Coordinates of all heavy atoms in Angstrom, one line a residue:
M262 N 4.1 -8.3 4.7 CA 4.8 -9.6 4.3 C 6.3 -9.2 4.1 O 6.6 -8.4 3.2 CB 4.2 -10.1 3.0 CG 4.6 -11.6 2.8 SD 3.8 -12.7 3.9 CE 3.9 -14.2 3.0
P263 N 7.2 -9.8 4.8 CA 8.7 -9.5 4.7 C 9.2 -10.0 3.4 O 8.8 -11.1 2.9 CB 9.3 -10.2 5.8 CG 8.3 -10.6 6.8 CD 7.0 -10.7 6.0
W264 N 10.0 -9.3 2.7 CA 10.5 -9.6 1.4 C 12.1 -9.6 1.5 O 12.7 -8.6 1.9 CB 10.1 -8.6 0.4 CG 10.8 -8.7 -0.9 CD1 11.7 -7.9 -1.5 CD2 10.4 -9.6 -2.0 NE1 12.1 -8.2 -2.7 CE2 11.3 -9.3 -3.1 CE3 9.5 -10.7 -2.1 CZ2 11.3 -10.0 -4.2 CZ3 9.5 -11.4 -3.3 CH2 10.4 -11.1 -4.4
C265 N 12.7 -10.7 1.0 CA 14.2 -10.8 0.9 C 14.6 -10.6 -0.6 O 14.2 -11.4 -1.4 CB 14.7 -12.1 1.4 SG 16.5 -12.2 1.3
E266 N 15.3 -9.5 -0.9 CA 15.7 -9.2 -2.2 C 16.7 -10.2 -2.7 O 16.7 -10.6 -3.9 CB 16.3 -7.8 -2.3 CG 15.2 -6.7 -2.2 CD 15.8 -5.3 -2.3 OE1 17.0 -5.2 -2.7 OE2 15.1 -4.3 -2.0
R267 N 17.7 -10.6 -1.9 CA 18.7 -11.6 -2.3 C 18.1 -12.9 -2.6 O 18.4 -13.5 -3.6 CB 19.7 -11.8 -1.2 CG 20.9 -12.6 -1.6 CD 22.0 -12.6 -0.5 NE 22.6 -11.3 -0.4 CZ 23.6 -11.0 0.5 NH1 24.0 -12.0 1.3 NH2 24.1 -9.8 0.6
C268 N 17.1 -13.5 -1.8 CA 16.5 -14.7 -2.1 C 15.4 -14.6 -3.1 O 14.9 -15.6 -3.6 CB 16.0 -15.4 -0.8 SG 17.2 -15.6 0.5
D269 N 14.9 -13.3 -3.3 CA 13.9 -13.0 -4.3 C 12.6 -13.8 -3.9 O 12.0 -14.5 -4.8 CB 14.3 -13.3 -5.7 CG 13.4 -12.6 -6.7 OD1 12.9 -11.6 -6.4 OD2 13.2 -13.2 -7.8
R270 N 12.2 -13.7 -2.7 CA 11.0 -14.3 -2.3 C 10.4 -13.7 -1.0 O 11.2 -13.1 -0.2 CB 11.2 -15.9 -2.0 CG 12.1 -16.1 -0.8 CD 12.4 -17.6 -0.8 NE 13.3 -17.9 0.4 CZ 13.0 -18.6 1.5 NH1 11.7 -19.0 1.7 NH2 13.8 -18.9 2.4
F271 N 9.1 -13.9 -0.8 CA 8.5 -13.4 0.4 C 8.8 -14.4 1.5 O 9.0 -15.6 1.3 CB 7.0 -13.3 0.2 CG 6.5 -12.2 -0.6 CD1 6.1 -12.4 -1.9 CD2 6.6 -10.9 -0.1 CE1 5.7 -11.3 -2.7 CE2 6.2 -9.8 -0.9 CZ 5.8 -10.0 -2.2
L272 N 8.8 -13.9 2.7 CA 9.1 -14.8 3.9 C 8.0 -14.7 4.9 O 7.3 -13.7 5.0 CB 10.4 -14.2 4.6 CG 11.6 -14.4 3.7 CD1 12.7 -13.4 4.3 CD2 12.1 -15.8 3.6
N273 N 7.7 -15.8 5.5 CA 6.7 -15.8 6.6 C 7.3 -15.0 7.8 O 8.4 -15.1 8.2 CB 6.5 -17.3 7.1 CG 5.3 -17.4 8.0 OD1 5.2 -16.6 8.9 ND2 4.5 -18.5 7.8
P274 N 6.5 -14.0 8.3 CA 6.9 -13.2 9.4 C 7.5 -14.0 10.6 O 8.4 -13.6 11.3 CB 5.7 -12.4 9.8 CG 4.9 -12.4 8.6 CD 5.1 -13.7 7.9
N275 N 6.9 -15.2 10.8 CA 7.3 -16.1 11.9 C 8.7 -16.7 11.7 O 9.4 -17.0 12.6 CB 6.3 -17.2 12.1 CG 4.9 -16.7 12.4 OD1 4.8 -15.7 13.2 ND2 3.9 -17.3 12.0
T276 N 9.1 -16.8 10.4 CA 10.4 -17.4 10.1 C 11.5 -16.4 10.1 O 12.7 -16.7 10.2 CB 10.4 -18.1 8.7 OG1 10.1 -17.2 7.7 CG2 9.3 -19.2 8.7
V277 N 11.1 -15.1 10.0 CA 12.2 -14.0 10.0 C 12.7 -14.0 11.4 O 12.0 -14.1 12.4 CB 11.5 -12.7 9.6 CG1 12.6 -11.6 9.8 CG2 11.0 -12.8 8.2
G278 N 14.0 -13.8 11.5 CA 14.7 -13.8 12.8 C 14.3 -12.6 13.6 O 13.7 -11.6 13.1
S279 N 14.4 -12.7 15.0 CA 14.0 -11.6 15.9 C 14.7 -10.3 15.6 O 14.2 -9.3 15.9 CB 14.2 -12.0 17.3 OG 15.6 -12.4 17.5
D280 N 15.9 -10.4 15.0 CA 16.7 -9.2 14.6 C 16.3 -8.7 13.2 O 17.0 -7.8 12.7 CB 18.2 -9.4 14.8 CG 18.6 -10.6 14.0 OD1 17.8 -11.4 13.4 OD2 19.8 -10.8 13.8
G281 N 15.3 -9.3 12.6 CA 14.8 -8.9 11.2 C 15.7 -9.3 10.1 O 15.8 -8.7 9.1
T282 N 16.4 -10.5 10.2 CA 17.3 -11.0 9.2 C 16.6 -12.2 8.5 O 15.8 -13.0 9.1 CB 18.6 -11.4 9.8 OG1 18.4 -12.3 10.8 CG2 19.4 -10.2 10.3
C283 N 17.0 -12.5 7.3 CA 16.5 -13.6 6.5 C 17.0 -14.9 7.1 O 18.3 -15.0 7.3 CB 16.9 -13.5 5.0 SG 16.4 -14.9 4.0
P284 N 16.2 -16.0 7.3 CA 16.7 -17.2 7.8 C 17.6 -18.0 6.8 O 18.4 -18.8 7.2 CB 15.5 -18.0 8.2 CG 14.4 -17.4 7.3 CD 14.8 -16.0 7.1
S285 N 17.4 -17.7 5.5 CA 18.2 -18.4 4.5 C 19.6 -17.8 4.2 O 20.6 -18.5 4.2 CB 17.4 -18.4 3.2 OG 16.2 -19.0 3.3
C286 N 19.6 -16.4 4.1 CA 20.9 -15.8 3.7 C 21.4 -14.9 4.9 O 22.5 -14.4 4.8 CB 20.8 -15.0 2.5 SG 19.6 -13.6 2.6
G287 N 20.6 -14.7 5.9 CA 21.1 -13.8 7.0 C 21.0 -12.3 6.7 O 21.5 -11.5 7.5
R288 N 20.5 -12.0 5.5 CA 20.5 -10.6 5.1 C 19.3 -9.8 5.9 O 18.3 -10.4 6.2 CB 20.2 -10.5 3.6 CG 20.3 -9.1 3.0 CD 20.1 -9.1 1.5 NE 20.2 -7.9 0.9 CZ 19.3 -6.9 0.8 NH1 18.1 -7.2 1.3 NH2 19.5 -5.8 0.2
E289 N 19.6 -8.5 6.1 CA 18.5 -7.8 6.8 C 17.4 -7.6 5.9 O 17.6 -7.1 4.7 CB 19.1 -6.4 7.2 CG 18.2 -5.8 8.3 CD 18.9 -4.5 8.9 OE1 18.8 -3.5 8.3 OE2 19.4 -4.6 10.0
I290 N 16.1 -7.9 6.3 CA 14.9 -7.8 5.5 C 14.5 -6.4 5.4 O 14.4 -5.6 6.3 CB 13.8 -8.7 6.0 CG1 14.3 -10.2 6.2 CG2 12.5 -8.7 5.2 CD1 14.7 -10.8 5.0
Q291 N 14.1 -6.0 4.1 CA 13.6 -4.7 3.8 C 12.1 -4.7 4.3 O 11.4 -5.7 4.0 CB 13.6 -4.4 2.3 CG 15.1 -4.2 1.8 CD 15.7 -2.9 2.4 OE1 15.1 -2.0 2.6 NE2 17.0 -3.1 2.7
P292 N 11.7 -3.7 5.0 CA 10.3 -3.7 5.4 C 9.4 -3.6 4.2 O 9.8 -3.0 3.1 CB 10.2 -2.4 6.2 CG 11.3 -1.6 5.9 CD 12.4 -2.5 5.4
P293 N 8.2 -4.1 4.2 CA 7.3 -4.1 3.1 C 7.0 -2.6 2.7 O 7.0 -1.7 3.5 CB 6.0 -4.7 3.6 CG 6.4 -5.5 4.7 CD 7.6 -4.8 5.3
S294 N 6.7 -2.4 1.4 CA 6.5 -1.1 0.8 C 5.3 -0.4 1.5 O 5.3 0.8 1.5 CB 6.4 -1.1 -0.7 OG 5.3 -2.0 -1.0
T295 N 4.4 -1.2 1.9 CA 3.2 -0.6 2.5 C 3.4 0.0 3.9 O 2.7 0.8 4.3 CB 2.0 -1.6 2.6 OG1 2.6 -2.8 3.3 CG2 1.5 -2.0 1.2
I296 N 4.5 -0.5 4.6 CA 4.8 -0.1 5.9 C 5.9 0.9 5.9 O 5.9 1.9 6.7 CB 5.2 -1.3 6.8 CG1 4.0 -2.2 7.0 CG2 5.7 -0.8 8.1 CD1 4.3 -3.4 7.7
S297 N 6.8 0.9 4.9 CA 8.0 1.7 4.9 C 7.7 3.2 4.9 O 8.4 4.0 5.5 CB 8.9 1.4 3.7 OG 8.2 1.5 2.4
P298 N 6.7 3.7 4.2 CA 6.4 5.2 4.2 C 6.3 5.8 5.6 O 6.8 6.8 5.9 CB 5.2 5.4 3.4 CG 5.2 4.2 2.5 CD 5.7 3.1 3.3
S299 N 5.5 5.0 6.5 CA 5.4 5.5 7.8 C 6.6 5.3 8.7 O 6.8 6.0 9.7 CB 4.1 4.9 8.4 OG 4.3 3.5 8.5
A300 N 7.5 4.4 8.3 CA 8.6 4.1 9.1 C 9.8 4.9 8.7 O 10.7 5.0 9.5 CB 8.9 2.5 8.9
T301 N 9.8 5.5 7.5 CA 11.0 6.2 7.1 C 10.7 7.7 7.2 O 10.0 8.3 6.4 CB 11.3 5.9 5.6 OG1 10.2 6.2 4.8 CG2 11.7 4.5 5.4
G302 N 11.3 8.3 8.2 CA 11.4 9.8 8.3 C 10.1 10.4 8.5 O 9.0 9.8 8.3
T303 N 10.1 11.7 8.8 CA 8.9 12.5 9.0 C 8.5 13.2 7.7 O 7.3 13.5 7.5 CB 9.1 13.6 10.1 OG1 10.2 14.3 9.8 CG2 9.3 13.0 11.5
T304 N 9.4 13.4 6.8 CA 9.1 14.2 5.6 C 8.1 13.4 4.7 O 7.1 14.0 4.2 CB 10.3 14.5 4.8 OG1 11.1 13.3 4.6 CG2 11.2 15.5 5.5
S305 N 8.3 12.1 4.5 CA 7.4 11.3 3.7 C 6.1 11.1 4.4 O 5.0 11.1 3.7 CB 8.0 9.9 3.4 OG 8.2 9.2 4.6
T306 N 6.1 11.0 5.7 CA 4.8 10.9 6.5 C 4.0 12.2 6.3 O 2.8 12.1 6.0 CB 5.0 10.7 8.0 OG1 5.9 9.6 8.1 CG2 3.7 10.5 8.7
V307 N 4.6 13.4 6.3 CA 3.9 14.6 6.1 C 3.3 14.7 4.7 O 2.2 15.1 4.5 CB 4.8 15.8 6.4 CG1 4.1 17.1 5.9 CG2 5.1 15.9 7.9
A308 N 4.1 14.2 3.7 CA 3.7 14.2 2.4 C 2.5 13.3 2.2 O 1.5 13.7 1.5 CB 4.8 13.7 1.4
D309 N 2.5 12.2 2.8 CA 1.4 11.3 2.7 C 0.1 11.9 3.3 O -1.0 11.8 2.7 CB 1.6 10.0 3.5 CG 2.5 9.0 2.7 OD1 2.7 9.3 1.5 OD2 3.0 8.0 3.2
E310 N 0.2 12.6 4.4 CA -0.9 13.3 5.0 C -1.5 14.4 4.1 O -2.6 14.6 4.0 CB -0.6 13.8 6.4 CG -0.5 12.7 7.4 CD 0.0 13.1 8.8 OE1 0.2 14.3 8.9 OE2 0.1 12.4 9.7
E311 N -0.5 15.1 3.5 CA -0.9 16.1 2.5 C -1.7 15.6 1.4 O -2.7 16.2 0.9 CB 0.3 16.9 2.1 CG 0.8 17.9 3.1 CD 2.0 18.6 2.7 OE1 2.5 18.3 1.6 OE2 2.5 19.6 3.4
V312 N -1.3 14.4 0.8 CA -2.0 13.9 -0.3 C -3.3 13.3 0.1 O -4.3 13.6 -0.6 CB -1.1 12.7 -0.9 CG1 -1.9 11.9 -1.9 CG2 0.2 13.3 -1.5
K313 N -3.4 12.6 1.3 CA -4.6 12.1 1.7 C -5.6 13.1 2.2 O -6.8 13.0 1.9 CB -4.4 11.0 2.8 CG -3.7 9.7 2.3 CD -3.3 8.9 3.5 CE -2.5 7.7 3.1 NZ -1.9 7.0 4.2
A314 N -5.2 14.2 2.9 CA -6.0 15.2 3.4 C -7.3 14.7 4.1 O -8.4 14.6 3.5 CB -6.5 16.2 2.2
P315 N -7.2 14.1 5.3 CA -8.3 13.5 6.0 C -9.4 14.4 6.2 O -9.3 15.6 6.2 CB -7.7 13.1 7.3 CG -6.4 13.9 7.5 CD -5.9 14.2 6.1
W316 N -10.6 13.8 6.4 CA -11.8 14.6 6.4 C -11.8 15.6 7.6 O -12.3 16.8 7.5 CB -13.1 13.7 6.5 CG -13.1 12.9 7.8 CD1 -12.6 11.7 8.0 CD2 -13.7 13.3 9.0 NE1 -12.8 11.3 9.3 CE2 -13.5 12.3 9.9 CE3 -14.4 14.4 9.4 CZ2 -13.9 12.3 11.3 CZ3 -14.9 14.5 10.8 CH2 -14.6 13.5 11.7
H317 N -11.2 15.3 8.7 CA -11.2 16.2 9.8 C -10.3 17.4 9.5 O -10.5 18.5 10.1 CB -10.8 15.4 11.1 CG -9.6 14.7 11.0 ND1 -9.6 13.3 10.7 CD2 -8.3 15.0 11.1 CE1 -8.3 12.9 10.7 NE2 -7.4 13.9 10.9
F318 N -9.3 17.2 8.6 CA -8.5 18.4 8.2 C -9.4 19.4 7.5 O -9.4 20.6 7.8 CB -7.4 17.9 7.3 CG -6.7 19.0 6.7 CD1 -5.7 19.8 7.4 CD2 -6.9 19.3 5.3 CE1 -5.0 20.7 6.8 CE2 -6.2 20.4 4.8 CZ -5.2 21.1 5.5
W319 N -10.2 18.9 6.5 CA -11.1 19.8 5.8 C -12.2 20.4 6.7 O -12.6 21.5 6.5 CB -11.7 19.1 4.6 CG -10.6 18.7 3.6 CD1 -10.3 17.4 3.3 CD2 -9.8 19.6 2.8 NE1 -9.2 17.5 2.3 CE2 -9.0 18.8 2.0 CE3 -9.8 21.0 2.7 CZ2 -8.1 19.3 1.1 CZ3 -8.9 21.5 1.8 CH2 -8.0 20.7 1.0
L320 N -12.6 19.6 7.7 CA -13.6 20.1 8.6 C -13.1 21.2 9.4 O -13.7 22.2 9.6 CB -14.0 18.9 9.6 CG -15.2 19.2 10.5 CD1 -16.5 19.3 9.7 CD2 -15.4 18.2 11.5
M321 N -11.8 21.1 9.8 CA -11.1 22.2 10.6 C -11.0 23.4 9.7 O -11.2 24.5 10.1 CB -9.8 21.7 11.0 CG -9.1 22.6 11.9 SD -7.3 22.1 12.2 CE -6.6 22.6 10.7
I322 N -10.5 23.2 8.4 CA -10.4 24.3 7.5 C -11.7 25.1 7.3 O -11.8 26.3 7.4 CB -9.8 23.8 6.1 CG1 -8.4 23.3 6.3 CG2 -9.9 25.0 5.2 CD1 -7.4 24.4 6.6
A323 N -12.8 24.2 7.1 CA -14.1 24.8 6.9 C -14.6 25.6 8.1 O -15.1 26.7 8.0 CB -15.1 23.7 6.6
G324 N -14.3 25.1 9.3 CA -14.6 25.7 10.6 C -13.9 27.0 10.7 O -14.5 28.1 11.1
V325 N -12.6 27.0 10.3 CA -11.8 28.3 10.4 C -12.4 29.3 9.5 O -12.5 30.5 9.8 CB -10.3 28.0 10.2 CG1 -9.5 29.3 10.0 CG2 -9.8 27.2 11.3
V326 N -12.6 28.9 8.2 CA -13.1 29.8 7.2 C -14.5 30.4 7.6 O -14.7 31.6 7.5 CB -13.3 29.1 5.8 CG1 -14.0 29.9 4.8 CG2 -11.9 28.7 5.3
I327 N -15.4 29.6 8.1 CA -16.7 30.0 8.5 C -16.5 31.0 9.7 O -17.2 32.0 9.8 CB -17.6 28.8 8.9 CG1 -18.0 28.1 7.6 CG2 -18.8 29.3 9.7 CD1 -18.6 26.7 8.0
Y328 N -15.7 30.6 10.7 CA -15.5 31.5 11.9 C -14.9 32.9 11.5 O -15.4 33.9 11.9 CB -14.5 30.8 12.8 CG -14.2 31.6 14.0 CD1 -15.1 31.8 15.0 CD2 -12.9 32.2 14.1 CE1 -14.8 32.6 16.1 CE2 -12.6 33.0 15.2 CZ -13.5 33.2 16.2 OH -13.2 34.0 17.3
L329 N -13.9 32.8 10.6 CA -13.3 34.1 10.2 C -14.3 34.9 9.3 O -14.3 36.1 9.5 CB -11.9 33.8 9.4 CG -10.8 33.2 10.3 CD1 -9.6 32.9 9.3 CD2 -10.4 34.2 11.3
G330 N -15.0 34.2 8.5 CA -16.0 34.9 7.7 C -17.1 35.6 8.6 O -17.4 36.8 8.3
W331 N -17.5 34.9 9.6 CA -18.5 35.4 10.5 C -17.9 36.7 11.3 O -18.6 37.7 11.4 CB -18.9 34.4 11.5 CG -19.8 34.9 12.6 CD1 -19.6 34.9 13.9 CD2 -21.2 35.4 12.5 NE1 -20.6 35.5 14.6 CE2 -21.6 35.8 13.7 CE3 -21.9 35.7 11.3 CZ2 -22.8 36.4 13.9 CZ3 -23.2 36.3 11.5 CH2 -23.6 36.6 12.8
R332 N -16.6 36.5 11.7 CA -16.0 37.6 12.5 C -15.8 38.8 11.6 O -15.9 40.0 12.0 CB -14.6 37.2 13.0 CG -14.7 36.2 14.1 CD -15.7 36.6 15.2 NE -15.3 37.9 15.8 CZ -14.7 38.0 17.0 NH1 -14.5 36.9 17.8 NH2 -14.4 39.2 17.5
L333 N -15.5 38.6 10.3 CA -15.4 39.6 9.3 C -16.7 40.4 9.1 O -16.8 41.6 9.1 CB -14.9 39.1 7.9 CG -14.6 40.1 6.8 CD1 -13.4 40.9 7.2 CD2 -14.4 39.4 5.5
I334 N -17.8 39.6 9.0 CA -19.1 40.3 8.9 C -19.4 41.1 10.1 O -19.9 42.2 10.1 CB -20.2 39.2 8.6 CG1 -20.0 38.5 7.2 CG2 -21.6 39.7 8.8 CD1 -20.8 37.2 7.0
E335 N -19.2 40.5 11.3 CA -19.4 41.2 12.6 C -18.6 42.5 12.6 O -19.1 43.5 13.0 CB -18.9 40.3 13.7 CG -20.1 39.5 14.3 CD -19.7 38.8 15.6 OE1 -18.4 38.7 15.9 OE2 -20.5 38.4 16.4
G336 N -17.4 42.4 12.1 CA -16.5 43.6 12.1 C -17.0 44.7 11.2 O -17.0 45.9 11.6
I337 N -17.5 44.3 10.0 CA -18.1 45.2 9.1 C -19.3 45.9 9.6 O -19.5 47.1 9.6 CB -18.4 44.5 7.7 CG1 -17.1 44.1 7.0 CG2 -19.2 45.4 6.8 CD1 -17.3 43.2 5.9
V338 N -20.2 45.1 10.3 CA -21.4 45.6 10.9 C -21.1 46.6 12.0 O -21.7 47.7 12.1 CB -22.3 44.4 11.4 CG1 -23.4 45.0 12.3 CG2 -22.8 43.6 10.3
W339 N -20.1 46.2 12.8 CA -19.6 47.1 13.9 C -19.1 48.5 13.3 O -19.4 49.5 13.8 CB -18.6 46.4 14.7 CG -18.0 47.2 15.8 CD1 -18.6 47.3 17.1 CD2 -16.9 48.1 15.8 NE1 -17.9 48.2 17.9 CE2 -16.8 48.6 17.2 CE3 -15.9 48.4 14.9 CZ2 -15.8 49.5 17.5 CZ3 -14.9 49.2 15.3 CH2 -14.8 49.8 16.5
L340 N -18.3 48.4 12.2 CA -17.8 49.6 11.6 C -18.9 50.5 11.1 O -18.9 51.7 11.3 CB -16.8 49.2 10.5 CG -15.4 48.9 10.9 CD1 -14.6 48.4 9.7 CD2 -14.7 50.1 11.5
V341 N -19.8 49.9 10.4 CA -20.9 50.6 9.8 C -21.8 51.3 10.8 O -22.1 52.5 10.8 CB -21.8 49.7 8.9 CG1 -23.1 50.4 8.5 CG2 -21.1 49.2 7.6
R342 N -22.0 50.6 12.0 CA -22.8 51.1 13.0 C -22.1 52.3 13.8 O -22.6 53.2 14.2 CB -23.2 50.0 14.1 CG -24.3 49.2 13.6 CD -24.6 48.1 14.6 NE -25.7 47.3 14.2 CZ -26.1 46.1 14.8 NH1 -25.4 45.7 15.9 NH2 -27.1 45.4 14.4
S343 N -20.7 52.2 13.8 CA -20.0 53.2 14.6 C -19.8 54.4 13.7 O -19.6 55.5 14.2 CB -18.6 52.6 15.0 OG -17.9 52.3 13.8
W344 N -19.9 54.3 12.4 CA -19.7 55.4 11.5 C -21.0 56.2 11.3 O -21.0 57.4 11.3 CB -19.3 55.0 10.1 CG -17.8 54.6 10.1 CD1 -16.9 54.9 11.0 CD2 -17.1 53.8 9.1 NE1 -15.6 54.4 10.7 CE2 -15.7 53.8 9.5 CE3 -17.5 53.2 7.9 CZ2 -14.7 53.1 8.7 CZ3 -16.5 52.6 7.1 CH2 -15.2 52.5 7.6
F345 N -22.2 55.5 11.3 CA -23.4 56.2 11.0 C -24.3 56.2 12.3 O -24.7 55.2 12.7 CB -24.2 55.4 9.9 CG -23.4 55.4 8.6 CD1 -22.8 54.2 8.2 CD2 -23.1 56.6 7.8 CE1 -22.0 54.2 7.0 CE2 -22.4 56.5 6.7 CZ -21.8 55.3 6.3
Ligands
ZN1162 ZN1 17.4 -14.2 2.1

């Protein structure tokens, strides 16, 4: 929902000009706070993803940990067998 700070009211998206200006005062409309994080820069987007930590991220971490753990066990077994 577009919000005009000068008019202090929400605006119908259909009434907002094609250039994103308020039909009443002609001021450029600020994007809604729910959309602005993804629209402003890459740093805030990365921060959001770090906070949310989607499930496939943890799945990938778990997969890497399990894989590396398995390779570590394999390496230890290989070392023990080569020594004795
Ligand atoms: Zn306005």
Side-chain angles (χ1 to χ4, degrees):
M262 198 71 158
W264 169 260
C265 180
E266 290 181 11
R267 186 174 292 179
C268 303
D269 198 32
R270 66 186 179 109
F271 288 107
L272 297 161
N273 191 315
N275 298 326
T276 63
V277 176
S279 57
D280 55 350
T282 54
C283 176
S285 301
C286 63
R288 188 180 183 275
E289 198 170 79
I290 302 299
Q291 293 292 323
S294 58
T295 50
I296 293 174
S297 58
S299 59
T301 56
T303 52
T304 51
S305 59
T306 306
V307 171
D309 282 350
E310 286 175 1
E311 280 177 355
V312 170
K313 287 172 185 171
W316 64 269
H317 51 264
F318 171 78
W319 294 112
L320 189 70
M321 187 190 74
I322 294 294
V325 168
V326 168
I327 290 167
Y328 175 76
L329 290 178
W331 172 246
R332 292 310 301 255
L333 184 69
I334 291 166
E335 269 192 338
I337 290 167
V338 169
W339 180 84
L340 276 174
V341 169
R342 281 179 179 171
S343 65
W344 283 344
F345 302 106

